[in-house]
């Protein structure tokens, strides 16, 4: 079991600051080894393992030969990241979280030996998931076992102090507001294999409200699963909703004046508009979770891309994907989400 070298005596809740990368992913600096080697890690709520690339596999990766406390095992595992297969050796070493001056003497992680990902933003992934049985790979398991936190839950809280704030806190442990139904509302989770539950929830419907209540609201009444991903820099939607959005919302609002059009990449489709979009009245998308809902002004989801082009931060997933939503940065920065692993539930702040 991990042994802490720094006692946290004042609280059983840890607030670890994070930064937002240029492509809107949550990044936390973690250090492995003795002496510590520090790297940017991306967060993954749907992944159990914490992994990092080795220096033999990737330039500037973790150099095990420079760590006096590194301990490899004989176990190797395969990790699937999108369309990429990674081969890793199960390893053990010290883990330091420099922002809160906390060190775990023994932390289990996966060291990538084969495979790579096309990203320079992070060097490893911090897995926040957890099976029902004990799982040494999860950071939350280590923190709970060593009595640093009082509950197996964590929340994502973006800094809203100023417009354009590029950070926030990953908070482990209980806080009073979570149990206040006036602040947080529970979502209905999708049934999964009990041995490896996911935190997928149901979006029961999505309602488009016209600006200033002009016209009848348009509803997309198809119950579909969704999961909250701090690693996703967009909101990703199934093909059937993208069609609804393009035809029944934007076309109705904008007509055929050439303001917006659809672009395609090898993986996604998305909507691009010119600056005239901000001279139009655009309504609100309301995400319905059971008997309650949260809304996002559709106009706030347009971000500048280049020249006179503005991209709507709702991308269509490839047809090969299952009919599921991925609620990433544009959603999470507006609504703090609590992942509770003891009651196996998710709560969203209204």
């Amino acid at each position: 079991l991990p042994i802490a070298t720094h006692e946290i005596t004042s609280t059983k809740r840890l607030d670890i600051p994070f930064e937002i990368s240029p492509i809107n992913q949550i990044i936390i600096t973690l250090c492995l080894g003795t002496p510590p080697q520090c790297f940017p890690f991306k967060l993954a709520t749907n992944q159990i393992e914490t992994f990092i690339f080795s220096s033999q596999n990737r330039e500037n990766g973790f150099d095990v030969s420079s760590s006096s406390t590194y301990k490899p095992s004989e176990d190797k595992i395969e990790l699937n990241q999108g369309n990429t297969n990674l081969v890793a050796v199960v390893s053990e070493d010290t883990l330091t979280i420099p922002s809160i001056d906390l060190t775990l003497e023994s932390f289990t992680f996966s060291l990538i030996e084969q495979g790579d990902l096309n990203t320079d933003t992070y060097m490893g992934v911090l897995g926040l998931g957890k099976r029902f049985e004990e799982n040494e790979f999860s950071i939350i398991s280590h923190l709970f076992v060593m009595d640093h936190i009082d509950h197996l839950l964590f929340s994502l809280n973006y800094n809203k102090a100023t417009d354009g704030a590029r950070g926030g806190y990953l908070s482990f442990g209980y806080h009073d507001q979570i149990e206040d139904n006036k602040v947080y509302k529970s979502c209905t989770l999708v049934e999964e294999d009990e041995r490896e539950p996911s935190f997928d929830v149901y979006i029961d419907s999505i309602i488009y409200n016209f600006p200033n209540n002009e016209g009848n609201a348009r509803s997309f009444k198809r119950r579909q699963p969704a999961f909250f991903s701090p690693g996703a820099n967009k909101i990703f939607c199934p093909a059937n909703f993208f069609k609804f959005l393009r035809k029944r919302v934007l076309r109705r609002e904008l007509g055929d004046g050439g303001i917006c059009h659809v672009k395609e990449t090898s993986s996604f489709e998305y909507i691009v508009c010119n600056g005239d979009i901000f001279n139009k009245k655009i309504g609100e998308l309301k995400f319905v979770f059971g008997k309650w809902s949260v809304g996002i002004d559709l106009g706030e989801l347009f971000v500048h891309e280049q020249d006179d082009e503005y991209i709507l931060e709702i991308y269509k997933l490839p047809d090969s994907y299952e009919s599921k939503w991925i609620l990433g940065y544009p959603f999470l920065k507006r609504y703090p989400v609590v992942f509770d692993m003891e009651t196996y539930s998710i709560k969203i702040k209204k």
Side-chain angles (χ1 to χ4, degrees), residues 5 35 40 64 96 102 162 207 230 232 242 259 313 324-325:
T5 59
V64 298
T96 301
L102 174 67
T162 59
I207 300 171
F242 190 79
I259 294 176
E313 292 186 298
K324 178 185 288 189
W325 285 77

Side-chain angles (χ1 to χ4, degrees), residues 8 31 58 103 127 136 143 291 311 341:
I8 306 296
C31 307
R58 191 173 181 185
T103 297
E136 295 179 353
L143 293 173
K291 296 181 179 180
I311 289 178
M341 297 177 179

